[in-house]
Amino acid sequence: MVGDGFRVSNFFPQGYNMPQDRLSPFFLLDYNAPVDFSPREQPRGVGVHPHRGFETVTIAFKGKVAHHDSAGHSGVIGEGDVQWMTAGSGVLHKEYHEAEFSRTGGTFHMAQLWVNLPRKHKMEAPRYQPIKKEDMAQVPLPDGKSEARIIAGELFGAKGPARTWSPIIAAMVKLAAGGEARFDLPASYNSAMLVVEGAANVNSSDALTDHLVVFRNDGEEVSVTSSEGATLLVLSGEPLNEPIAAYGPFLMNTVEELQQAFKDVAAGKFGVLED
Ligand code: MN
């Protein structure tokens, strides 16, 4: 559990003994497979905590999350929405089930991705991008029955609305039963695909529900088919190739920068946020 509101599996960096930068610029993926939460008056979640040096990207498949941060940003994301928060120089934030969802209870299905920032952008001012499902570029696929929604970067000839600090492609691909999708991802990028619903066959390998496919960097072509239908989160990004110093909620380049982050939180430099 992360707090009492997110029951997650960590696919990386801890999950599979991959090198810490194997999927750079993506540093962490916590996946909350569908779980039923009982109704509760007091929303479950994670209380006030700091972040510096990266972005938290929360992707809602089912259920609703409410976010508040010390930079004055807040918002609620629901089914199909994405919240792209740049912690940059530092924020305090809290992440809870949205009040009404908490009261009624129900299925909760989320992912949180940590996107590392290039050294030159680690201390940018905090930024908050609420990206609603309908804001994403929606693309019908050539098989005539499947579709993609582009969150960031360009795929299937369409561009997503998210602004990023390094080249990134993020998209949801919804394959109909018997559907297929073909696309290219740069071989120099690190790429992965999370099977959110259903099951698929990816470049001749089976990819089952709640599994993460990690691509070798040895070609560009991706071919995905699904007999039962599938929803896939596609992630691809140009590696940063910079040293990583990670501790708890901070993601920097050096140990000294981590120590500075702790000092700055203690000195109140991340602002104020009430729990
Ligand atoms: Mn957080």
Side-chain angles (χ1 to χ4, degrees), residues 233-265:
L233 173 65
V234 177
L235 300 169
S236 185
E238 186 179 87
L240 299 183
N241 294 319
E242 291 177 348
I244 292 173
Y247 192 88
F250 307 125
L251 189 46
M252 308 302 293
N253 298 113
T254 68
V255 171
E256 291 71 27
E257 289 166 349
L258 290 176
Q259 292 165 342
Q260 190 62 48
F262 279 99
K263 284 180 199 157
D264 288 350
V265 168

Side-chain angles (χ1 to χ4, degrees), residues 5-6 29-35 56-67 75-84 95-98 101 107-113 128-134 136 149 151 171-174 194 196-197 231-233 235:
F6 303 87
L29 179 65
D30 272 346
Y31 178 55
N32 187 139
V35 58
T56 62
V57 178
T58 308
I59 303 138
F61 307 113
K62 283 247 161 50
K64 288 184 175 175
V65 170
H67 161 100
V76 172
I77 56 166
E79 193 169 328
D81 301 336
V82 170
Q83 175 208 88
W84 202 295
E95 304 158 274
Y96 281 100
H97 294 189
E98 184 266 339
F101 171 80
T107 306
F108 194 77
H109 186 190
M110 296 272 157
Q112 189 170 85
L113 179 70
Y128 181 81
Q129 299 178 76
I131 302 170
K132 294 284 184 189
K133 185 179 182 180
E134 57 268 24
M136 299 171 193
R149 280 184 281 118
I151 302 163
M172 296 293 307
V173 175
K174 202 170 174 65
L194 178 67
V196 175
E197 285 176 332
T231 302
L232 309 162
L233 173 65
L235 300 169

